[in-house]
Amino acid sequence: MKVLVIEDEKDLADIIKQGLEENAFTVELCNDGEEGLFMAENYPYDAIVLDIMLPTMDGFTVLDKLRAKKVKVPVLVLTARGGMGDKVRGLDKGADDYVVKPFEFPELIARLKAIIRRNKGEASPLISIDDLTIDINSRTVKRSDKEIKLSSREYKILVYLALNKGRVLSRDQIAEYIYDPDHEHESNIVDVYINFLRNRIDKGHDNKLIQTVRGEGYTIKGNR
Ligand code: CA
């Protein structure tokens, strides 16, 4: 899951990024409102973490402009302690939820996951595709009730496919999703990881869930 964090306090932004990455999110940071708005309008994110007091454009204005443009990405607002007015105003302007600074990290994660699920129309934390189930909260993956251990990158790709089940994702989309700017990546990295995933998810099953769409990319789909 890919999250844009718009927060100008560098230390806090770095902590949020690190914590989210440890929870298998892909994170992009942005430290001012105008740039944040540009990114949110032009790139696909599963959610946005939005601070209110920001240089160049405050969080409320960012939210206003996003919703005015019908960008429906779920937004979690960070508000200052005691800023009750901020919470109400944020929710009023189309924020999906808020956390109050200073916050406990597990709360941020739980709320973020909840707004992403709500937005995807997944009421429960389970995503299922035939006999494959992914529990977003506990990060457990099972096929036919047997638990499957995945590396963090395999898990990310699987969740990305599953949240878009039935839709074809191109290699570029997947590569961008798992891209780690600190490492050079091989051009075939997506194929490599898809192969790993297939070995773990589909090997030994007649019903193959991960499918190659020639010339387009990959998709995951089942019969139910
Ligand atoms: Ca701030």
Side-chain angles (χ1 to χ4, degrees), residues 7-9 51 53-54 101:
E7 166 61 75
D8 60 315
E9 287 161 55
D51 186 31
M53 298 293 284
L54 290 166
K101 291 187 197 177

Side-chain angles (χ1 to χ4, degrees), residues 129-133 141-150 196-211 220-224:
I129 298 150
D130 291 349
D131 56 350
L132 176 77
T133 55
V141 176
K142 289 181 181 171
R143 179 118 198 225
S144 296
D145 284 330
K146 239 174 85 187
E147 190 169 341
I148 298 167
K149 292 267 174 240
L150 296 177
F196 289 158
L197 252 187
R198 280 192 159 129
N199 277 329
R200 303 205 194 275
I201 301 293
D202 280 335
K203 201 176 176 181
H205 296 268
D206 291 336
N207 175 17
K208 308 290 185 206
L209 301 177
I210 299 171
Q211 296 173 14
I220 192 164
K221 66 180 180 199
N223 302 310
R224 60 192 152 82

Side-chain angles (χ1 to χ4, degrees), residues 19-145:
L20 289 177
E21 284 175 348
E22 283 165 8
N23 282 274
F25 288 90
T26 302
V27 179
E28 271 171 23
L29 286 184
C30 181
N31 52 26
D32 78 77
E34 262 179 28
E35 192 196 343
L37 177 65
F38 176 83
M39 309 255 299
E41 283 177 348
N42 290 285
Y43 300 100
Y45 296 102
D46 296 296
I48 294 175
V49 175
L50 178 64
D51 186 31
I52 294 299
M53 298 293 284
L54 290 166
T56 70
M57 184 187 289
D58 69 75
F60 291 129
T61 310
V62 172
L63 196 51
D64 245 358
K65 289 185 183 282
L66 267 184
R67 295 312 188 218
K69 289 205 168 173
K70 308 276 179 237
V71 179
K72 293 204 172 90
V73 57
V75 174
L76 182 72
V77 166
L78 302 177
T79 67
R81 196 211 294 266
M84 198 59 208
D86 279 2
K87 292 173 204 168
V88 174
R89 202 166 153 209
L91 294 174
D92 238 28
K93 289 194 177 296
D96 295 80
D97 204 351
Y98 59 85
V99 291
V100 180
K101 291 187 197 177
F103 50 82
E104 297 288 330
F105 217 82
E107 187 192 358
L108 178 79
I109 298 284
R111 288 183 181 270
L112 202 52
K113 285 179 175 172
I115 63 172
I116 291 172
R117 276 203 310 276
R118 245 187 278 154
N119 184 253
K120 303 277 181 189
E122 302 274 352
S124 81
L126 277 187
I127 304 175
S128 50
I129 298 150
D130 291 349
D131 56 350
L132 176 77
T133 55
I134 306 164
D135 184 323
I136 302 264
N137 277 350
S138 63
R139 296 188 56 198
T140 41
V141 176
K142 289 181 181 171
R143 179 118 198 225
S144 296
D145 284 330

